[in-house]
Amino acid sequence: MEYLDLLPIWAFFVGMVLVALAATEIGFRVGMHLQGRSSNPGESRITGSVVGGMLGLVGFLMAFSIGITIGHHSERKSMVIKEANTIGVAWLRAGFLDEPDSLLLRKHLREYAEIRLEAANQVIDLPTALLRSENIHEKMWIIVERNVKQGNDTDIMASLVHAVNEVIDTHTLRIAAATKRLPAVLGLVLILSTILSFSLVGVASSADRKRNTVAIFLFSLVFTAVLTILFDLDRPQEGMLTVSQTAMTDVLRRIEPFSQ
């Protein structure tokens, strides 16, 4: 649902409430028009069971979509924790190297963690963060490769190689998790089904020629709120329900006293 990312989440909520109310009003007017042409005024072909069935279908689509987005959101959170752990382990094992390589590798790891945190908090854009991250990968691997070529191929060195390799691998996994989104077709079907459902509610409510304005307004607020939560969860690091960066902040706090 990348095409909705240009809208702030509050704008999406307000817009969908207005669209739902407009759809209900249009449905009501259509229903009144059809009744005016009917030989039995007050009788509507759009019964409560039809509206209930449509709303049930939309509810199923929403539940299915929320399941997908919650799964993506949970994966993003777990990848932050995993990446923070791999950086912390690599930073500790960097102490196995002799200076100045030990200090240089730890400097790169700290800068790397800062870049990841800045990207998550939207201080820098994602392409810039990716470019800088990959540049640090190369610098760290050069240090490791140089030490191995110099004959430092002990089991301890192997553990450091593994730790640095984990940092690089986790980068790819985290990017993959961050780019997982709700399929655009599913999101579009969900929005169109919601609009159609409110239109049918309007047609059905025209049977007694009276608008239940308060009930319709409250229903649109609740329904749209759930829909907004769904699309908020689908955004990687925007809106109200963002992925916590506590793990990355903690690892930066732990390594700071030793890096000065």
Side-chain angles (χ1 to χ4, degrees), residues 129-217:
L130 291 178
L131 185 62
R132 291 175 61 185
S133 296
E134 291 167 0
N135 182 256
I136 292 177
H137 290 166
E138 294 177 6
K139 292 179 180 179
M140 290 191 298
W141 196 252
I142 287 173
I143 295 173
V144 172
E145 192 176 61
R146 180 170 62 242
N147 278 267
V148 172
K149 287 181 177 179
Q150 289 174 353
N152 188 1
D153 55 356
T154 63
D155 291 341
I156 293 178
M157 187 63 193
S159 69
L160 174 60
V161 173
H162 176 73
V164 174
N165 192 59
E166 279 287 295
V167 172
I168 297 173
D169 287 347
T170 304
H171 161 79
T172 304
L173 294 174
R174 188 175 177 190
I175 296 302
T179 53
K180 286 184 178 179
R181 305 294 298 274
L182 186 72
V185 174
L186 182 57
L188 183 61
V189 169
L190 187 56
I191 291 174
L192 293 178
S193 299
T194 299
I195 296 173
L196 178 59
S197 296
F198 276 92
S199 299
L200 293 178
V201 168
V203 174
S205 64
S206 67
D208 57 2
R209 299 177 179 272
K210 294 179 180 179
R211 296 180 179 86
N212 195 338
T213 307
V214 175
I216 293 298
F217 179 70

Side-chain angles (χ1 to χ4, degrees), residues 239-259:
M240 299 175 292
L241 303 174
T242 57
V243 176
S244 173
Q245 301 296 314
T246 303
M248 194 64 70
T249 303
D250 286 345
V251 77
L252 275 170
R253 176 181 52 81
R254 290 199 304 271
I255 68 180
E256 183 175 7
F258 302 97
S259 61

Side-chain angles (χ1 to χ4, degrees), residues 69-81 173-174 176-178 180 243:
T69 55
I70 287 178
H72 292 169
H73 189 76
S74 298
E75 187 177 353
R76 293 185 193 114
K77 289 196 295 184
S78 65
M79 290 310 303
V80 172
I81 297 172
L173 294 174
R174 188 175 177 190
K180 286 184 178 179
V243 176

Side-chain angles (χ1 to χ4, degrees), residues 3 22 33 52 56 66-67 86 97 101 109 132 184 196-197 214 225 237 243:
Y3 51 83
H33 175 72
I66 287 177
T86 59
L97 296 176
D101 284 347
L109 285 166
R132 291 175 61 185
L196 178 59
S197 296
V214 175
Q237 202 61 28
V243 176

